[in-house]
Amino acid sequence: MPTIPSEGAPAPDSEARPESEARPESEARPERETHQYRQMAESFGGDAERYDRTRPRYPDALVERIVAASPGPDILDVGCGTGIEARQFQAVGGKVLGVEPDARMADFARRSGVEVEVATFEGWDAAGREFDAVVAGTAWHWVDPVAGAAKAAQVLRPGGRLAPFHHVFQPPPEVAEALAQVYRRVAPDAPFNRGSEPARSALDAYQRLFAKIADAIREVGGFSDPEQWRFEWERSYTRDEWLDQMPTFGTLTQLAPDKLAEVLASVGAAIDAMGGSLTIGYTTVVVTAARTGLGDGPAEQGWVAEASRNARLAK
């Protein structure tokens, strides 16, 4: 369930940054899709135990609604990480198979009782298996949205549900500002350290991601019209609890130890000034659609043809 460092917007499961210094026109980077940052996408296994211990779980109501809306218990968990949401689905009777590109995360998930196969979802071999739901807990942004929807269409039974979901949150302004300032100082050239747009709510910023997921599902075809399910909740953290989670954020996983220590010290000082704790309001958003039949969209047909060619070449 890695975090997304989003394009000009708050980073999911991470920090909402206020407006930062604009990068000069001559230094502008070409835009890349989030799923193309593979080094960051597969950086979370460096401390899998911390990831599993500190990352927030998903609302029980979300898990129960996905299960209730699916035709059966067979669930494919894309980017299952350490197995956080997989174990939640198992707890309500789901039979879960995880797909995870980071072998370190997969090993942790297996030790916690989750069956996992190591692969990217786009390159994973379903071997004829079918599922009642394809889910992804804060991981679908690391998947090519069209190829991912097409692969889901291939492995879902009729009536099966595609349901990727993401945490959206925005820390208090004091914490966000402290993080923005120190991050500009220690990592000014980071690929997601743009933030030249005016500050806006995290949920508004995320709509670009959610719209991209929905558009890809429509492009592939063979699904009902996508919809959003939202679950609002909050969690309070002590200073130490928040700082313990921060090294698992995608924007921080690749920082040198001295730079990470500087970030944590700055944010810790901001939390101390607030009284030593903070409360985060979360909205967990599901973008979901049901499998209606054989996908006939050009995206699915083209992706299937490309996958077949790659399989022949691999033999």
Side-chain angles (χ1 to χ4, degrees):
M1 299 163 300
T3 180
I4 172 176
S6 62
E7 304 156 332
D13 273 11
S14 175
E15 64 286 349
R17 292 188 292 274
E19 184 174 358
S20 65
E21 300 167 0
R23 188 180 302 277
E25 185 82 21
S26 62
E27 299 179 19
R29 291 186 176 84
E31 292 290 338
R32 284 199 287 161
E33 297 296 328
T34 306
H35 66 270
Q36 294 174 318
Y37 288 93
R38 295 311 311 169
Q39 185 177 6
M40 185 177 290
E42 297 173 22
S43 68
F44 300 92
D47 193 346
E49 189 278 332
R50 180 197 297 268
Y51 189 102
D52 193 78
R53 182 183 72 247
T54 64
R55 281 301 185 99
R57 275 48 184 164
Y58 295 91
D60 291 340
L62 177 154
V63 173
E64 292 164 0
R65 185 168 181 183
I66 291 174
V67 169
S70 302
D74 294 324
I75 297 170
L76 182 67
D77 184 5
V78 176
C80 71
T82 59
I84 290 173
E85 71 275 1
R87 296 191 298 269
Q88 291 186 256
F89 280 99
Q90 287 177 330
V92 295
K95 300 177 181 178
V96 183
L97 173 65
V99 176
E100 168 56 47
D102 189 325
R104 299 164 299 179
M105 302 284 268
D107 285 343
F108 189 101
R110 291 188 187 108
R111 293 196 299 271
S112 72
V114 179
E115 182 183 355
V116 186
E117 297 178 6
V118 176
T120 63
F121 185 47
E122 299 94 326
W124 173 69
D125 182 7
R129 289 168 291 183
E130 293 184 328
F131 299 86
D132 299 301
V134 173
V135 303
T138 315
W140 196 254
H141 51 279
W142 298 122
V143 176
D144 179 287
V146 175
K151 190 66 169 279
Q154 285 186 297
V155 303
L156 280 169
R157 298 186 176 104
R161 184 159 293 277
L162 174 57
F165 42 90
H166 290 80
H167 288 315
V168 181
F169 74 88
Q170 197 158 351
E174 300 92 334
V175 173
E177 178 60 25
L179 182 55
Q181 289 184 5
V182 69
Y183 199 71
R184 287 198 296 270
R185 186 168 65 250
V186 303
D189 295 322
F192 298 101
N193 193 17
R194 298 188 183 99
S196 58
E197 297 180 9
R200 49 183 171 156
S201 78
L203 193 56
D204 287 344
Y206 262 77
Q207 289 306 319
R208 179 176 179 182
L209 169 65
F210 300 150
K212 189 175 294 186
I213 295 171
D215 288 345
I217 293 171
R218 295 186 184 100
E219 183 178 345
V220 164
F223 285 97
S224 63
D225 196 51
E227 57 184 305
Q228 287 188 22
W229 300 343
R230 298 185 182 185
F231 302 84
E232 296 185 354
W233 54 287
E234 65 179 28
R235 176 177 169 180
S236 294
Y237 294 86
T238 66
R239 173 190 185 276
D240 290 346
E241 286 173 339
W242 186 253
L243 297 186
D244 195 24
Q245 184 183 171
M246 282 186 63
T248 73
F249 295 162
T251 49
L252 302 180
T253 54
Q254 299 177 82
L255 283 184
D258 60 331
K259 292 184 176 181
L260 177 60
E262 189 174 347
V263 171
L264 297 180
S266 179
V267 173
I271 298 173
D272 285 341
M274 296 168 54
S277 64
L278 69 164
T279 298
I280 302 291
Y282 287 86
T283 302
T284 306
V285 179
V286 187
V287 180
T288 184
R291 191 74 168 99
T292 58
L294 180 62
D296 55 4
E300 180 177 350
Q301 299 304 317
W303 188 86
V304 170
E306 181 180 354
S308 298
R309 285 195 299 272
N310 291 340
R312 289 196 299 272
L313 290 173
K315 292 182 179 180

